[in-house]
Amino acid sequence: MEITTQKFRDLMQKGTYVEAGSEIFEAFHKYSQEALKITSEINCKYNPPEKIRELFSKLTESEIDETFGLFPPFYTDCGKNIKIGKNVFINACCRFQDQGGIEIGDGSLIGHNTTIATLNHDFNPLKRQNLTPSPVKIGKNVWIGSDCTILPGVTIGDGAIIGAGSVVTKSIPTNAIAVGNPARVIKEIEVNND
């Protein structure tokens, strides 16, 4: 079975367990090499915003809206399972492990040095190379502060704020402010339509 990009995305969406040496596992390696090549183009010289969008579209094999912004460097070990909305901004030194799927909604801001992970290794030490994907979904108009870590399976609701340095281990509701390690909700945001 050939692993096309769409087939890969479908298998990851289903949370397909990935055994070391399997065709999916080998696809991970193929995509990582492609990502290294494209991110080196993004990171190792100046590119105007339109070139950044072009390279990010190539990296993700999807159309990236003209409102997208990225300050390099940016790192990913896949690239094929990132979905970006409109008016999204990703600040410098972010690292995405996107095999399991990363979706970022319209208007969201990702702070410096943020890590988003979507894979867990098997707990059994005899099967430690095997992986389980679990997507991360970031809603619309989310603000993630600098130096945050978002772990596999987390959903961050629309309008939420994640305080700088937080480690998000569980989903965060809409319009909540969460901080700490592990991140805990400390306040709800009052939405004012004025």
Side-chain angles (χ1 to χ4, degrees):
M1 157 180 81
E2 180 186 347
I3 305 290
T4 64
T5 301
Q6 190 55 54
K7 179 72 173 173
F8 170 76
R9 289 173 180 155
D10 293 343
L11 290 168
M12 294 301 96
Q13 183 67 29
K14 292 177 187 173
T16 302
Y17 183 73
V18 179
E19 292 187 33
S22 67
E23 286 181 292
I24 302 169
F25 192 83
E26 294 307 315
F28 281 12
H29 289 289
K30 179 182 112 177
Y31 292 146
S32 69
Q33 293 305 302
E34 291 173 11
L36 286 169
K37 182 178 179 184
I38 297 167
T39 56
S40 70
E41 289 184 63
I42 292 171
N43 297 337
C44 294
K45 66 177 184 176
Y46 170 75
N47 291 294
E50 58 274 7
K51 183 64 175 178
I52 293 282
R53 286 191 298 277
E54 176 188 321
L55 289 166
F56 213 83
S57 292
K58 184 177 175 184
L59 176 69
T60 60
E61 287 188 21
S62 62
E63 186 174 337
I64 300 297
D65 191 78
E66 64 182 17
T67 58
F68 171 73
L70 170 72
F71 282 176
F74 172 80
Y75 306 97
T76 182
D77 53 5
C78 182
K80 303 300 186 227
N81 213 359
I82 300 171
K83 187 176 180 182
I84 302 282
K86 296 178 180 177
N87 292 307
V88 168
F89 176 70
I90 300 172
N91 219 324
C93 298
C94 289
R95 294 171 302 282
F96 287 11
Q97 180 199 53
D98 65 280
Q99 288 90 337
I102 296 173
E103 183 176 334
I104 303 174
D106 296 348
S108 288
L109 309 171
I110 312 299
H112 293 90
N113 210 34
T114 291
T115 298
I116 302 176
T118 65
L119 294 174
N120 276 313
H121 289 276
D122 197 307
F123 287 1
N124 180 342
L126 301 177
K127 298 181 178 181
R128 190 59 45 87
Q129 299 298 317
N130 298 348
L131 300 159
T132 303
S134 193
V136 168
K137 295 183 181 176
I138 298 170
K140 295 178 180 179
N141 301 310
V142 170
W143 173 19
I144 297 177
S146 297
D147 293 302
C148 288
T149 300
I150 316 295
L151 295 183
V154 165
T155 296
I156 299 174
D158 294 349
I161 297 171
I162 308 300
S166 296
V167 177
V168 185
T169 61
K170 295 181 181 174
S171 293
I172 304 298
T174 298
N175 296 323
I177 299 174
V179 299
N181 180 4
R184 290 186 169 82
V185 174
I186 60 165
K187 186 176 181 179
E188 290 189 25
I189 299 167
E190 291 185 31
V191 179
N192 189 340
N193 291 327
D194 291 344

